[in-house]
Each structure stands twice: as C-alpha cells, then as structure tokens.
Amino acid sequence: MILLSFTVRNHKSIRDEITIDFVKPSLRTLAPKGGTWADHTYPLVGIFGPNASGKSAVLDAILYAMAAIEYSSTAWQARSKFTREPFRLDERSRQASSVYEFQFVHEERRYNYGFEVDGKGVVSEWLREAPLRWRTLLERHRGEKPVRSQRTLLALGSVSDRELALSRALVLNDGVLAPIARDLIESFDIVSVKDVHRDSRLRSIAESLVDGSLSPLDIETLLQVADIGIQKVTVEEDDLPLHVRKALAQFKRALEVEPEGISDAADENDPPDGDSEGPAIDSAELDEEDSKQIVRNLLFTHRGESGDVKPFSVSRESDGTIAWLALMVPVIDTLRKGGLLLVDELDSSLHPHLLDVVLGLFVDRELNRHHAQLLFTSHETYVLSPLSDTQLAPEQVWFTDKSYDGVTELTCLADFARHADANVAKRYLAGRYGGTPRLAPSMLASLLVTVDA
C-alpha cells in the first residue's frame, strides 16, 4: 500500500476538513504516465507545530479510521455506543458527522476509500478505483441499499449501520473487498511516545526474540548504530505466579477481551462492566495457554572494563535507549515490507543526528526498496535547517496551528512563497509560517513575585 492522501473532518481538535498529501507535483493524472508510483510520491512527510496544536490529532484520525476498518464488525459491536471522537468545543460539531477518506495505491491501482460516521454509526461509505477513470465499487448511504456494487459484494449480507462494509468483508474474507481492507490495516503501524505504548512495544520485541521473528543481532545492531554502549541483548523469562495466571484466565472467561491495538479508540462513554468476580477457577481448569504464561523481559549487557559486567533490565536503561529501540524496530519492519508508519514526536529523547539516520533510511531508494512511507510529527527545527542531511521539499513540510476557538489548522510549506536558499528553520521559529506557540512569559511573574507583608 502506498498512501497518496488522507482527508479528515471533525475529529478531536480537527473541526474543519484538512488533507495531508504525499503526492509530488509531477503527478498530474490519476495514474503515472511515466515512471512508477514511487517516483511520484514522497516517502516521508513531517508535521511541525507547537504543543497542543493538533499534530497528534492528524495521526490519531488515521489510527481511528484503521481501527474502524479492522474492528467495527467485531469488537466495536459489543459497545453501548458507536465509537467516535468529534470536535467537542461546540455543540454543532459534537452532533455533526465526521469524515475519513484515503487515497492509496493497492496492487499498482489507485483507490479512493472513505466513510462518514455520526453518533448512530455509519452515515455513508464509498470505495472507488481508477484504472483509467474513477469506477465505483461500493457506495452506501444509511437507509438505502448499496448501489453500483460488484455482484460478489452480495455475499456480505445485510451490513448494519454500526459497521463498515470493509470491516464485514474482513470477517467474511470477501474476495473483492477483503484484500483491499487487509492491505490497508496490515501495511500500517504507529509509534507513540506514551509510556504504555513503549512498554507494549518492548514486550513485543521480547516476544519476537523468543519466537525467532527478530534475532538478537538485529537488536544489537540497532543499538550499536546509536553508539549507546550495549554489546548484547538477551531475554529473561519468568513464569507468572499461579494466582496471577488464574486471575488472567478468569478475566478472559468473564469478559470479551478487546483486540490489542485499539484501546486509544475506546468509547469513553461505555458503562463500567460491574463488580462481579465471576466463577472461581481451579488450577486444574487452566488451559494449556494459561498454564504456560510467562513474563519476558529484555536484558542489556553494556561495555565495561571488567569481563563480569552484569546485564541491566530495561527499567534501568535511559529514556534515549528505550525511545531508540521502540522506534527503530517498527522502522526496520516497515522498511522491510513496505507500508505506512506513523511516528508521534519523532524527536522525543533522540539526538538530531539520529533523526537524520531515520529519515535517511526512508529517502534512500536502495534501502527503502518497497517505498515504505513515514508520517511524523516533531518540534525539532533541525530537520528543517540546512544542517540536516535530509532536505525536505516544501510539499513534505506541514504546519499545525490552533485558532482562538481551539480548531486545528493545517498548512503546507509549499503554500508560502520563498527563495530556494531560504532558511526554513529560522523563518519557522520567527513565525513566518505559523505553527509556533503564542508565548506570554510575563504572566509567569504573578507566580514568582512575592507580595510584601
């Protein structure tokens, strides 16, 4: 999957419609007339802006749309209300519908897929392809039968207002829609700065080392690239205590466990599940999976003068080490197979030169052979300066700002007139492009000045 553009309206701080674009100006037709899709699309795009300006909301909108495709026919059905995150600072937006739309390339063909949702569920959904011109594969509106859909889509049956047809197609493995839906969600990954995400990523790395999908050499190489001083990575395995295994088994039986990866999209209005503890479970009732559950932790051996240096647990490592590892494993995975990687606050706990390393991997066509794409947010102006080894085209640089009434606004550097040798970082810090905080340091004086008795 290659992302061409993403459009969203009415999601969190995004009230009005905005579009983030990966298409180069060289593509002026629906499909390339010369070269490949990789020749006409950017491998990376950066969003810059002050704190709380809505940078993360853009990524969260993509995450929400992917989660809706994957789970609206399954886990979301058990919720009391349809999951959504509208702009909440005015009543009209809270009641209005939200729109999410992708333009992307699947198997060398251009597609347009989108959906509109409100508090009741799906208002409309559409899927079009463009071999030469746009052709509708699916179009549905609430209260109406699907129109101009392929005959094979009849196998989906009656799609409810609380699920996407693309999600139902995944469940039924429909021959037309399922490959498109699967390509979207399987070609997508996200890296967040939240502690819970990093902890989950580190656990996943430990599991991957045990099952062989990652090798210790992979991890050691990533850490040595950053010159962190770690020579060896191992995994420590401990059996979970019996009472913990029994509690987990009881929890699994009492609740319908939500699939991993959509907790950020949970419905905040869902009622609590109650205080019932459910039936007690004897140790003899534990199934094979429950009885063998173990905790796996990463251990790191550092360089030292003596030969008997003991390994450190991940809890004793620096934030920089954890940030680098949690970032680079999905980066390498995305580069190996292609797809879209979202990274929130790419500069978090990383040196600017390491940022250049990451960006350079996506820009290098020899290393990025599957045209993997990176969409990142950052405060770091080094990436925009002449000092950076990765020079971004104006179309690859986007700025978020927030209006007086709390609305995220998105602009592109290409929209501003500038000279070829302009120092973008310097102009950005000077507020030429917006996307910089409106500071009022004088207000701090009231917190610091003491009043004489």
Side-chain angles (χ1 to χ4, degrees):
M1 189 269 288
I2 296 176
L3 182 64
L4 303 178
S5 67
F6 174 70
T7 298
V8 58
R9 185 190 75 214
N10 196 22
H11 181 89
K12 291 194 171 179
S13 64
I14 303 169
R15 186 189 65 187
D16 307 318
E17 183 174 287
I18 63 171
T19 297
I20 196 86
D21 202 338
F22 279 79
V23 177
K24 294 181 179 180
S26 59
L27 184 64
R28 300 182 179 181
T29 53
L30 286 178
K33 292 187 176 180
T36 65
W37 282 106
D39 295 326
H40 296 282
T41 52
Y42 291 111
L44 60 89
V45 164
I47 304 175
F48 301 83
N51 292 332
S53 63
K55 300 186 302 298
S56 299
V58 179
L59 306 192
D60 189 81
I62 299 177
L63 174 62
Y64 170 85
M66 293 295 188
I69 294 170
E70 187 167 5
Y71 300 118
S72 63
S73 282
T74 53
W76 287 15
Q77 291 296 307
R79 296 176 176 175
S80 61
K81 296 182 180 180
F82 186 80
T83 301
R84 63 189 298 257
E85 288 285 351
F87 183 80
R88 299 184 183 277
L89 297 184
D90 66 63
E91 179 62 26
R92 187 183 69 172
S93 296
R94 286 195 296 270
Q95 302 301 322
S97 62
S98 303
V99 172
Y100 306 83
E101 183 177 57
F102 297 92
Q103 289 210 27
F104 61 98
V105 178
H106 165 69
E107 294 186 348
E108 299 301 315
R109 183 169 291 187
R110 183 172 188 156
Y111 287 86
N112 179 324
Y113 172 72
F115 57 89
E116 180 181 2
V117 294
D118 62 13
K120 296 179 180 179
V122 180
V123 177
S124 61
E125 183 181 10
W126 58 93
L127 175 65
R128 302 180 180 92
E129 65 174 352
L132 294 174
R133 57 180 62 88
W134 288 116
R135 179 175 67 182
T136 299
L137 296 181
L138 168 70
E139 184 175 350
R140 60 182 283 226
H141 300 275
R142 182 182 292 161
E144 301 178 8
K145 294 182 178 180
V147 298
R148 296 184 65 185
S149 59
Q150 299 230 357
R151 286 178 296 176
T152 51
L153 299 184
L154 297 176
L156 296 182
S158 177
V159 181
S160 76
D161 288 345
R162 292 188 54 179
E163 63 182 331
L164 296 174
L166 221 59
S167 186
R168 171 66 70 87
L170 271 177
V171 174
L172 300 178
N173 198 26
D174 174 77
V176 176
L177 292 183
I180 299 172
R182 196 173 296 114
D183 192 23
L184 276 171
I185 62 176
E186 291 182 357
S187 299
F188 164 80
D189 200 359
I190 185 168
V191 176
S192 170
V193 294
K194 295 179 180 178
D195 290 340
V196 64
H197 175 91
R198 287 185 175 178
D199 291 344
S200 175
R201 183 70 69 177
L202 292 173
R203 288 195 300 270
S204 176
I205 292 171
E207 296 289 340
S208 297
L209 287 171
V210 172
D211 66 28
S213 55
L214 272 177
S215 74
L217 181 60
D218 292 334
I219 305 301
E220 290 161 10
T221 300
L222 291 176
L223 294 172
Q224 289 166 12
V225 165
D227 194 24
I228 293 172
I230 294 175
Q231 291 183 311
K232 186 179 180 181
V233 178
T234 54
V235 178
E236 177 185 55
E237 297 187 336
D238 293 319
D239 290 335
L240 280 174
L242 178 60
H243 71 279
V244 176
R245 283 181 275 143
K246 290 171 63 177
L248 287 174
Q250 181 173 315
F251 182 77
K252 288 167 61 178
R253 286 159 175 74
L255 300 176
E256 178 181 354
V257 179
E258 183 174 90
E260 182 180 356
I262 62 169
S263 58
D264 287 343
D267 187 351
E268 62 184 17
N269 297 314
D270 278 355
D273 294 306
D275 299 323
S276 174
E277 295 183 356
I281 295 179
D282 187 81
S283 60
E285 296 182 52
L286 294 174
D287 58 29
E288 183 178 359
E289 179 184 354
D290 295 326
S291 64
K292 292 183 178 180
Q293 289 195 40
I294 57 177
V295 176
R296 296 185 172 101
N297 296 308
L298 294 172
L299 296 178
F300 302 92
T301 302
H302 288 251
R303 290 193 300 265
E305 293 183 0
S306 62
D308 59 347
V309 177
K310 294 183 178 180
F312 292 166
S313 67
V314 69
S315 63
R316 299 183 64 184
E317 291 297 332
S318 69
D319 288 344
T321 297
I322 295 173
W324 177 251
L325 193 56
L327 168 66
M328 288 307 296
V329 169
V331 163
I332 296 300
D333 185 55
T334 303
L335 289 166
R336 285 174 171 174
K337 66 182 183 182
L340 173 67
L341 178 64
L342 310 183
V343 180
D344 198 14
E345 296 188 26
L346 179 62
D347 52 302
S348 177
S349 301
L350 295 181
H351 190 278
H353 290 171
L354 292 179
L355 299 185
D356 263 339
V357 170
V358 176
L359 300 181
L361 291 173
F362 284 87
V363 172
D364 192 327
R365 293 285 291 269
E366 290 297 317
L367 298 176
N368 188 4
R369 299 184 180 184
H370 302 286
H371 195 60
Q373 292 173 293
L374 172 66
L375 175 59
F376 68 93
T377 69
S378 178
H379 304 95
E380 180 56 68
T381 58
Y382 173 86
V383 178
L384 302 175
S385 74
L387 297 175
S388 174
D389 293 334
T390 306
Q391 297 301 307
L392 302 179
E395 294 79 14
Q396 293 175 273
V397 179
W398 297 75
F399 303 109
T400 53
D401 211 341
K402 189 167 282 188
S403 67
Y404 180 77
D405 51 355
V407 176
T408 291
E409 299 171 343
L410 183 71
T411 55
C412 183
L413 179 58
D415 297 333
F416 297 89
R418 72 183 187 94
H419 299 292
D421 59 348
N423 188 324
V424 175
K426 184 176 180 180
R427 287 169 174 256
Y428 167 65
L429 291 175
R432 297 286 187 91
Y433 311 121
T436 52
R438 302 178 181 90
L439 304 178
S442 60
M443 296 179 65
L444 296 176
S446 62
L447 303 177
L448 302 175
V449 175
T450 58
V451 179
D452 294 334

